[in-house]
Amino acid sequence: MDKTRIYIGPRLSGLNRFTVFQGGTLPSLVKEIIEKRPAVAGLIVYVDDLAQARVDLAKKGHPLNLFFNQVRSK
């Protein structure tokens, strides 16, 4: 499995939607964002799972949908 991950949440200051993270390590700025908004971590998925994650993001009540709405509402 590829360790490359991608952020699928709404645009935030310092973090754009579909930002790709190579090698499994998140930049310090992203870690700081996660400290302030823990739901952001749930919106960083493996690229291999991106297609299914985008489907799940649209399902009302799915954890990805809930994370997205939490991040968007702040």
Side-chain angles (χ1 to χ4, degrees), residues 15-60:
L15 184 59
N16 290 322
R17 190 166 196 192
F18 301 121
T19 298
V20 175
F21 306 102
Q22 301 276 340
T25 303
L26 299 176
S28 58
L29 175 63
V30 175
K31 290 177 183 177
E32 290 173 21
I33 292 170
I34 291 170
E35 285 180 23
K36 295 176 186 170
R37 296 178 175 202
V40 168
L43 294 168
I44 298 174
V45 301
Y46 288 104
V47 171
D48 292 344
D49 300 329
L50 179 59
Q52 183 61 50
R54 292 190 71 187
V55 170
D56 294 340
L57 199 61
K59 291 180 185 173
K60 188 174 182 176

Side-chain angles (χ1 to χ4, degrees), residues 7 9-17 33 37 40 71-72 74:
Y7 172 67
R11 185 187 178 288
L12 299 171
S13 178
L15 184 59
N16 290 322
R17 190 166 196 192
I33 292 170
R37 296 178 175 202
V40 168
V71 172
R72 184 175 56 184
K74 289 189 176 188

Side-chain angles (χ1 to χ4, degrees), residues 58-73:
K59 291 180 185 173
K60 188 174 182 176
H62 190 279
L64 288 175
N65 178 270
L66 297 173
F67 291 144
F68 187 94
N69 289 328
Q70 286 175 4
V71 172
R72 184 175 56 184
S73 68

